Amino acid sequence: MADDGKTPTSAGMADLFAGFEPDAPADLTPENAPLADRLRPRTLDEVVGQDHITGPEGAIGRMVAAGRLSSVILWGPPGTGKTTIARLLADAVDLRFVAISAVFSGVADLKKAFAEAREHGRIGKRTLLFVDEIHRFNRAQQDGFLPYVEDGTVTLVGATTENPSFELNAALLSRAQVLILERLGRAALDQLLDRAEVEMDRPLPLDPAARDALIASADGDGRFLLNQAETIFSVDLKAPLDSAGLSSFLQRRVAVYDKDREGHYNLISALHKSIRGSDPDAALYYLARMLTAGEEPLYLLRRLTRAAVEDIGLADPQALVQCIAAKDTYDFLGSPEGELAIAQACVYLATAPKSNATYKAQKAAWRSAKETGSLMPPAHIRNAPTKLMRDIGYGKGYAYDHDAEDSFSGANYWPDEMTAQSFYAPTDRGFESRLSQRMAHWASLRAERDA
């Protein structure tokens, strides 16, 4: 592992990780600490919104019950409890807790952490090494963890907001269990506000609609919600704020819901399903409801893009192009002019031919890959960059399709231990009708050549 030059001075490191002392009591929180720190859970039972992994039947719950912790990668959005869970795991199984951040740490910090862990291991005290933003370490640095994880010097708990499949080495992933943390739902966020009110010994000065708007604006981020609540608590307000007053007070657009407080998630569900149901007018209505209420336009663009690939797919490949173009247009023009591009994308999606064939194919292919992920491709399509590989048959007999009639060799591309699978079944709608014809033509050619 070569030093990447990110290592701060030792004085800077001491300041940076002053709050990460492994042996400091977890329950000593200064009264002037931020509200989010004061409300940090002291046991795994107090963690909200992640019962699927922290509960008795969850992966973490089972590890704690067994008293044995394996290395894990915690993957989830910001503010969902990754750091908190790591700290509580160390307490629950009596491990020494050490935390570093891949944003600020370099090779020297890792070497020091491993050396100290080894020394503590000699006296019977094992170490949980928490690595925040682990995906920011490069591939060589990630490889450096492997020997220390394998020999038990450290139990690694990595935290990342990025997809581990793309950002972490396969070797590291094979030695750690990936646990997915969910964005906090309304009930969990509401519970956090209840705890904040108990901590502050007074109710949050918001009317019910404003409280709903504050929760919606957090978009599943518990830390952000508590920071916003602390800002509100810090001011002596004469009367509870309504939604408009909250938006003005925080200088942030927050969603305003009507008198029956129909929620953020109900509206986005209605928008998505109106698009899927090919009703452009209803889709525009729900889009308008959310935009005029103060919903973040980029959030809506993300949801429209999801609808493009989930519900339209290759029935109209331009649907995805329209969404990305709308995002670029909004970035360029901003509000309110850029919102016209969002409306255009919404109408395009609602009026496009629909197909979830790619969505279903992806699910089926992922299931198959998990079941057969160790099978090698057939020898004739393996890469053969060296003489040894060519000598043992790699690449032998490969049929170059462009040299074949119709540029189609009809060769078998599946592992020898597998029969050919069928994941993608195009519909007869839109562009997919042409894809269906092509695939049928190739199937007939393959059948003829097999015969």
Side-chain angles (χ1 to χ4, degrees):
M1 289 194 302
D3 198 327
D4 60 0
K6 294 191 295 183
T7 309
T9 64
S10 42
M13 288 300 301
D15 291 340
L16 179 61
F17 294 114
F20 286 138
E21 291 297 332
D23 299 320
D27 57 348
L28 296 181
T29 306
E31 293 183 2
N32 60 349
L35 181 60
D37 283 349
R38 281 181 277 157
L39 292 178
R40 192 181 292 275
R42 289 173 171 79
T43 66
L44 285 168
D45 292 340
E46 295 180 7
V47 175
V48 299
Q50 310 300 341
D51 290 347
H52 63 292
I53 59 172
T54 60
E57 300 303 316
I60 286 176
R62 290 179 181 274
M63 289 181 197
V64 171
R68 295 183 59 85
L69 179 63
S70 61
S71 292
V72 297
I73 302 296
L74 302 176
W75 173 30
T80 52
K82 296 185 290 294
T83 304
T84 295
I85 288 174
R87 286 178 176 276
L88 296 178
L89 269 175
D91 291 341
V93 295
D94 193 28
L95 296 184
R96 172 176 170 265
F97 181 82
V98 175
I100 63 174
S101 169
V103 177
F104 301 106
S105 304
V107 174
D109 305 298
L110 291 175
K111 288 180 176 178
K112 180 182 178 183
F114 293 140
E116 290 179 350
R118 184 156 283 166
E119 289 300 316
H120 280 80
R122 291 194 178 103
I123 60 173
K125 188 67 172 178
R126 296 186 61 200
T127 297
L128 184 152
L129 178 63
F130 174 66
V131 183
D132 198 16
E133 304 287 345
I134 190 171
H135 62 276
R136 293 182 180 267
F137 279 130
N138 62 39
R139 300 280 173 169
Q141 290 170 320
Q142 291 178 30
D143 282 340
F145 286 96
L146 300 180
Y148 302 100
V149 172
E150 287 178 341
D151 68 11
T153 299
V154 298
T155 297
L156 175 66
V157 177
T160 179
T161 56
E162 304 296 327
N163 189 328
S165 300
F166 302 137
E167 302 295 338
L168 300 184
N169 284 2
L172 186 58
L173 284 177
S174 71
R175 292 162 175 80
Q177 183 177 359
V178 176
L179 303 180
I180 302 174
L181 278 70
E182 298 176 351
R183 189 175 296 276
L184 299 185
R186 175 184 172 78
L189 294 172
D190 200 42
Q191 190 174 351
L192 288 180
L193 288 186
D194 288 343
R195 292 181 183 178
E197 290 174 327
V198 171
E199 174 69 20
M200 301 300 294
D201 197 27
R202 56 194 172 98
L204 194 64
L206 301 175
D207 70 15
R211 185 185 177 100
D212 285 348
L214 180 64
I215 289 173
S217 74
D219 198 20
D221 186 332
R223 186 187 305 109
F224 173 85
L225 179 71
L226 291 176
N227 288 342
Q228 296 289 71
E230 185 170 27
T231 300
I232 297 168
F233 275 127
S234 68
V235 177
D236 184 18
L237 298 171
K238 302 299 183 183
L241 295 172
D242 59 13
S243 297
L246 175 65
S247 179
S248 176
F249 177 78
L250 295 177
Q251 293 297 299
R252 173 183 171 86
R253 300 178 75 192
V254 292
V256 180
Y257 299 104
D258 57 20
K259 60 186 178 183
D260 63 4
R261 300 200 301 278
E262 186 174 31
H264 162 91
Y265 296 106
N266 285 337
L267 288 179
I268 197 62
S269 176
L271 171 61
H272 194 140
K273 288 169 183 171
S274 298
I275 289 171
R276 181 182 294 153
S278 301
D279 189 332
D281 295 315
L284 271 178
Y285 167 72
Y286 290 115
L287 180 73
R289 281 276 301 276
M290 300 191 83
L291 280 174
T292 58
E295 190 60 74
E296 290 291 341
L298 289 176
Y299 169 77
L300 291 167
L301 281 163
R302 287 194 296 271
R303 293 301 297 242
L304 292 178
T305 304
R306 172 182 164 182
V309 294
E310 180 178 333
D311 295 297
I312 297 166
L314 291 175
D316 187 348
Q318 283 296 313
L320 179 58
V321 176
Q322 284 282 331
C323 290
I324 300 303
K327 183 261 182 189
D328 289 343
T329 302
Y330 181 79
D331 283 342
F332 187 51
L333 295 179
S335 293
E337 293 87 352
E339 291 172 6
L340 179 59
I342 303 176
Q344 176 175 310
C346 178
V347 171
Y348 191 99
L349 299 185
T351 55
K354 304 300 187 294
S355 170
N356 69 343
T358 300
Y359 179 70
K360 291 165 63 177
Q362 183 245 344
K363 296 287 186 184
W366 262 237
R367 284 195 299 271
S368 181
K370 289 177 180 178
E371 295 168 0
T372 62
S374 62
L375 300 183
M376 290 285 286
H380 71 98
I381 61 170
R382 294 179 197 169
N383 187 36
T386 68
K387 182 178 183 300
L388 173 62
M389 298 169 85
R390 290 192 294 273
D391 289 345
I392 62 176
Y394 281 29
K396 184 178 180 180
Y398 171 62
Y400 186 58
D401 286 79
H402 293 292
D403 290 341
E405 185 180 352
D406 295 325
S407 291
F408 180 78
S409 68
N412 174 48
Y413 298 102
W414 293 88
D416 294 334
E417 299 88 345
M418 285 182 69
T419 57
Q421 306 290 301
S422 179
F423 300 134
Y424 178 56
T427 69
D428 58 359
R429 295 183 291 279
F431 181 71
E432 276 196 328
S433 64
R434 295 168 61 185
L435 299 182
S436 182
Q437 293 170 11
R438 289 179 199 169
M439 292 177 67
H441 174 62
W442 292 329
S444 65
L445 290 178
R446 188 176 284 111
E448 289 175 9
R449 293 173 191 183
D450 287 346

